[in-house]
């Protein structure tokens, strides 16, 4: 079973569910009086479970779009590349970027700069997890689910070599899994 590979649970299913409710309500309240629906941009693929739950807890009009940025190979971060771009314009839009985890902040730094150059009216970041110890950029997510220590997390969208995204909680893998991997 996939769960046999987990050493420790960092954030439980119940905690994630409660956090998605809280953040969804907060975002709804913050954008309720907006003239135009905010554009919620998910960074694939890690955003999928979090974004799904989050937007179901938003009771205001929103629009969705997606981007794919890649920076991670195994557990080492590298340069950020846009692999799939948005379908719609961000000009004069209020943008809410949804991310699974902010680590070094390089991905969000690159994406925020691109959206800003394209004329976004405002840009905020909502992330399920934050590893502030690892930051090497000036990126500060406005909405954070959970701050976690400097450990490699998997589950609820977060992967190790594309696996474990479908775990319903956030956990840390046993050491032997990394040894067996690539
Ligand atoms: P950053 O650009 O260094 O902030 O990295 C952001 C991306 O790295 C995230 O969207 C994740 O895909 C990946 N990442 C960073 N830390 C972890 C982790 O602990 N587990 C799984 N993926 C991670
Ligand atoms: Mg990833």
């Amino acid at each position: 079973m996939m769960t046999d590979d987990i050493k420790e649970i960092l954030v439980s299913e119940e905690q994630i569910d409660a956090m998605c409710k809280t953040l969804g309500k907060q975002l709804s309240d913050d954008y309720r009086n907006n003239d135009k629906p905010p554009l919620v941009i998910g960074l694939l693929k890690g955003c999928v479970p979090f974004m799904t739950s989050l937007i179901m807890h938003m009771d205001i009009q929103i629009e969705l779009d997606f981007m794919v940025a890649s920076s991670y190979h195994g557990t080492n971060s590298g340069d950020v590349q846009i692999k799939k771009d948005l379908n719609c314009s961000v000009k004069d839009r209020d943008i809410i970027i949804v991310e699974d985890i902010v680590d070094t902040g390089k991905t969000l730094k690159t994406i925020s700069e691109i959206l800003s150059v394209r004329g976004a009216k405002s840009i905020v970041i909502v992330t399920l997890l934050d590893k502030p110890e690892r930051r090497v950029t000036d990126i500060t997510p406005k909405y954070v689910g959970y701050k976690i220590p400097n450990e490699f997390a998997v589950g609820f969208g977060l992967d190790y070599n594309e696996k474990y995204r479908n775990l319903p909680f956030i956990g840390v893998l046993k050491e032997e899994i990394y040894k067996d991997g690539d």
Side-chain angles (χ1 to χ4, degrees), residues 44-46 69 71-72 74 100-101 152 157-160 162 165:
L44 295 171
K45 298 169 243 182
S71 66
Y72 243 72
D100 52 0
I101 187 165
F152 195 79
L158 292 134
D159 71 300
Y160 170 59
E162 294 301 327
R165 291 193 198 274

Side-chain angles (χ1 to χ4, degrees), residues 16 19 50 99-100 126-130 144-146 156 170:
I16 294 171
M19 186 48 73
F50 176 47
E99 176 63 303
D100 52 0
V126 50
T127 185
L128 178 61
L129 301 177
D130 189 8
V144 175
Y146 289 93
F156 214 78
I170 311 278

